Amino acid sequence: MSRNRLTVVLADSHAPTRAGVRLVLESADFTVVAEADHADAAVEQTRLHRPSLCLLDLSISGGGLYATRRIRDEAPETTVVILTVSASSDDFVEAIAAGASGYLLKGAPADRLPEALRAAARGEAAFSRTLERRLVEEFRAREGRRLADRRFHPRRRGLGVELTGREWEVLELISKQLSTTVVAQRLGISDVTVRRHISSAVRKLGATDREGAVELLSGHTRTGRQEGRGR
């Protein structure tokens, strides 16, 4: 085996997906030393073979984040790269926090996968281009919102609460009569995460439901703007 040939443990619960990815990698001169269909098996095979990379599905049975953390603890020389269908920025952040060095989407062109894995093995960033653009757009939108509405923040208007940036974004979109699913798509998060942010904001604001929270914030925003014009 060539000294520069990269070795891979391929971990995905879906056998046809593993077969397709294996074909792509072996055609690009990678060596797949083992496959795994469960998080525990991914950890075991990585610990056994000490490959250059573990290509890991985030939704693998047993949990991709769990497997990532264990691999980073038990085989720190192996680079973990997530391969997933989830374009959620929250999932991305959690995966990187768990120790993944890359986050790639399954819908991307297959010929980009070997290039991304080689970059990850060299210690470079290996992120989906689609996700990179989305993260940049989200960052710009969040910072623009923060700067534009800074003086209308709930705490500054005397409500005595501090909403997170994401809670503020969710309530703003809900106020436009958008459904939970549409809000989730706009922000790149799951429906469950949207509902969690809504529940948290409702609780902090002391409202009875999401409509009450939106009305409360809208009323104070109008008041803040009127005060700003009156200065």
Side-chain angles (χ1 to χ4, degrees):
M1 184 184 302
S2 170
R3 185 182 307 175
N4 297 322
R5 190 163 183 157
L6 295 176
T7 55
V8 182
V9 165
L10 182 55
D12 194 301
S13 296
H14 193 232
T17 298
R18 295 199 308 273
V21 173
R22 181 172 193 138
L23 180 62
V24 170
L25 295 183
E26 291 181 340
S27 297
D29 208 32
F30 287 75
T31 299
V32 177
V33 295
E35 295 185 17
D37 62 0
H38 190 278
D40 288 330
V43 176
E44 180 181 354
Q45 292 299 326
T46 300
R47 188 172 55 228
L48 175 65
H49 293 281
R50 305 285 170 168
S52 312
L53 301 141
C54 177
L55 187 58
L56 176 66
D57 180 22
L58 189 64
S59 60
I60 192 171
S61 298
L65 293 178
Y66 161 78
T68 299
R69 294 188 188 97
R70 284 195 56 194
I71 290 170
R72 296 305 299 144
D73 286 342
E74 300 179 30
E77 69 276 22
T78 295
T79 298
V80 177
V81 176
I82 299 297
L83 183 63
T84 178
V85 297
S86 174
S88 164
S89 55
D90 286 353
D91 285 342
F92 166 79
V93 170
E94 288 182 349
I96 299 305
S101 298
Y103 194 98
L104 306 174
L105 298 181
K106 289 183 176 180
D111 58 358
R112 292 181 183 169
L113 180 59
E115 176 187 352
L117 292 183
R118 290 191 181 98
R122 292 193 299 267
E124 301 173 10
F127 305 138
S128 162
R129 295 176 185 177
T130 299
L131 186 60
E132 285 180 347
R133 287 194 297 269
R134 176 175 294 179
L135 290 171
V136 169
E137 290 169 0
E138 285 190 14
F139 175 78
R140 287 174 176 167
R142 185 177 304 172
E143 286 302 292
R145 176 69 187 178
R146 183 183 66 82
L147 293 174
D149 290 334
R150 183 166 50 189
R151 62 179 169 175
F152 304 126
H153 195 283
R155 179 178 291 281
R156 297 169 193 265
R157 297 198 304 275
L159 292 183
V161 298
E162 188 78 42
L163 299 184
T164 66
R166 184 64 90 190
E167 289 166 354
W168 180 272
E169 289 172 336
V170 167
L171 286 182
E172 180 187 29
L173 292 174
I174 290 294
S175 72
K176 297 178 181 178
Q177 307 302 312
L178 300 180
S179 68
T180 297
T181 298
V182 172
V183 172
Q185 292 171 347
R186 289 278 186 93
L187 298 179
I189 58 180
S190 68
D191 289 15
V192 172
T193 301
V194 170
R195 295 190 185 97
R196 187 170 67 242
H197 288 310
I198 292 172
S199 297
S200 177
V202 167
R203 185 179 65 255
K204 289 179 179 179
L205 292 168
T208 56
D209 52 28
R210 66 173 68 187
E211 288 78 13
V214 168
E215 183 178 355
L216 183 60
L217 284 181
S218 297
H220 278 272
T221 298
R222 287 194 297 272
T223 300
R225 286 172 180 163
Q226 289 169 358
E227 290 175 352
R229 287 195 296 269
R231 290 190 182 94

